[in-house]
Amino acid sequence: MGGNELEYIHNAFDSNWISQYGSNIDEFEKNLENYLGNNSFVTALSSGTAAIHLALRLLNVEECDFVICQSFTFVASANPILYLKAVPVFVDSESQTWNLCPNALEDAIKYCIQQGKKPKAIIAVSLYGMPFMAEEILQISKKYEIPIVEDSAEALGSQYKGQPCGTFGDLSVISFNGNKIITTGGGGILISRNPHFKSRAFILATQAKDKAEFYSHSELGYNYRMDNIAAGIGRGQMETLDEKIKQKRKNHDFYQELVKNSENIELFSAPNNDFFSNYWLNTVILKNELSKEKLREIFTQNDIETRYLWKPMHLQPLYKKCKFFGNNLSGTLFDTGLCLPSGTNLTNDYISRISEVLENEIH
Ligand SMILES: *Cc1c(COP(=O)(O)O)cnc(C)c1O
């Protein structure tokens, strides 16, 4: 926390709107619509996962439909496919952005069409804040007329060619879970350029009540709306976003400087200036003798927390029966990668201890 979060929470108390209605929700949605630009319509929800679930509902994904999903991601990208009893088809990453590989994506689409069913959606992720290859992926989406669900849960503030992540999909998703660049505790948004999607998302997120004087329900809805307290936190957090992005990118520069001459470690960085990452997490790939387990253990001994990379979905027990297209680059990234401390509040002491460990181990 850092901005005026408490003040906005007080507004909610003063107005007595402790519910899924209230001015914080309306204002938070407006803040985000302004921030994202590009005629975005935003619906505030209880989580990013809920937003992905609703995105698939709005695209009429039904039982037994194919949905293509990036394999290298957090499990929340894929689970809503199973909520709808649809069939996930996983696609590998390319080496530039670690996101959807256009060639493998096209192979997956052709496979589904051969099976007699064009996929209903493509879930494209901006992992660790790095935008996916938007031009190539959108071109494939257009060629086969398959909509994109953009999972930019981790990528608020990132851009591709100056356009913000969260505005590339037919439907896009950003998360405000506690671990993301800004947070509402739990929360997320669904974004589109279609006002019809916004009103439908609201209806589905509030139990899908019919327009009637009594409680009448013709279709299946959910309790997925963001509440007015969480949205108050979000309003305060939005005021800190630019500063947080600066700090995240400073962390990246710090790591870049540390490892630039190492042969054992490579920092994952934007392939060129078209890609502007919020560097939500800094990740490294280890080479030669240095294993992720060993480096992690040395960090742990020095009381520094690191994490492994996301384990790809095609390697997860939950998804092991699903089709996968690609050369398993994502599996190699998982085997050799490590996430380094990337908080916006790293202390000088913590930073110098990180430097010490890295300088000892990587040269
Ligand atoms: C966090 C995250 C989600 C889910 O968002 P929640 O708000 O935690 O439900 C989805 N996809 C990715 C890639 C994420 O990192």
Side-chain angles (χ1 to χ4, degrees), residues 4 38 43 61 82 111 133 183 259 293 336 340 356:
N4 297 316
N38 298 284
T43 311
V61 171
L82 293 191
Y111 161 82
M133 290 187 158
T183 183
V259 308
E293 290 85 3
T336 54
L340 301 182
E356 238 168 79

Side-chain angles (χ1 to χ4, degrees), residues 320-340:
K320 65 175 187 286
K321 288 188 185 140
C322 297
K323 268 283 195 190
F324 170 70
F325 291 83
N327 300 321
N328 196 32
L329 173 78
S330 54
T332 307
L333 293 172
F334 171 68
D335 285 341
T336 54
L338 200 64
C339 299
L340 301 182

Side-chain angles (χ1 to χ4, degrees), residues 47-50 52 73-74 76-77 125 127 151 153-154 175-177 179-180 187-188 280 310:
S47 72
T49 312
I52 297 169
T73 187
F74 177 54
S77 305
V125 186
L127 209 65
D151 179 353
E154 303 171 358
S175 165
F176 305 110
N177 189 36
N179 62 345
K180 301 303 197 285
W280 174 60
W310 300 127

Side-chain angles (χ1 to χ4, degrees), residues 61-107:
V61 171
E62 293 176 345
E63 194 166 344
C64 297
D65 283 339
F66 286 126
V67 175
I68 292 179
C69 184
Q70 182 165 324
S71 183
F72 193 35
T73 187
F74 177 54
V75 72
S77 305
N79 282 351
I81 303 171
L82 293 191
Y83 297 169
L84 293 166
K85 298 190 167 70
V87 181
V89 175
F90 291 110
V91 169
D92 206 4
S93 299
E94 35 75 13
S95 61
Q96 302 278 295
T97 75
W98 291 6
N99 295 310
L100 271 186
C101 168
N103 296 334
L105 172 61
E106 209 158 359
D107 289 346

